[in-house]
Amino acid sequence: MTPRTRRRAARLVRRVAAAAAVAAAALALGVALAVAIVHVFVLEPLRVLAHLIGATS
C-alpha cells in the first residue's frame, strides 16, 4: 500500500465513522420524537378518557 493510498483509506474510514455517528444521533432523536408523539397523542388522551368515564380515580 502506498502512502497516498493509506491516507485515502484513512480519510474514508474517518468519513464513514462520522456518517455513522450522524446516523446514530438522528436515529436516537427520531426514536425520542416517536415516543413523545405516542405519549402526547395516544397515551394522554386515553388516560384522560379513562378518568372521565370513572375507570380510574
Side-chain angles (χ1 to χ4, degrees), residues 17-52:
V22 169
L27 180 63
L29 285 173
V31 168
L33 183 62
V35 167
I37 287 171
V38 166
H39 177 75
V40 169
F41 292 107
V42 176
L43 298 180
E44 274 301 309
L46 287 176
R47 192 176 69 86
V48 169
L49 184 61
H51 179 73
L52 289 175

Side-chain angles (χ1 to χ4, degrees), residues 11-27:
R11 262 187 295 168
L12 180 62
V13 166
R14 281 194 299 270
R15 213 177 264 174
V16 168
V22 169
L27 180 63

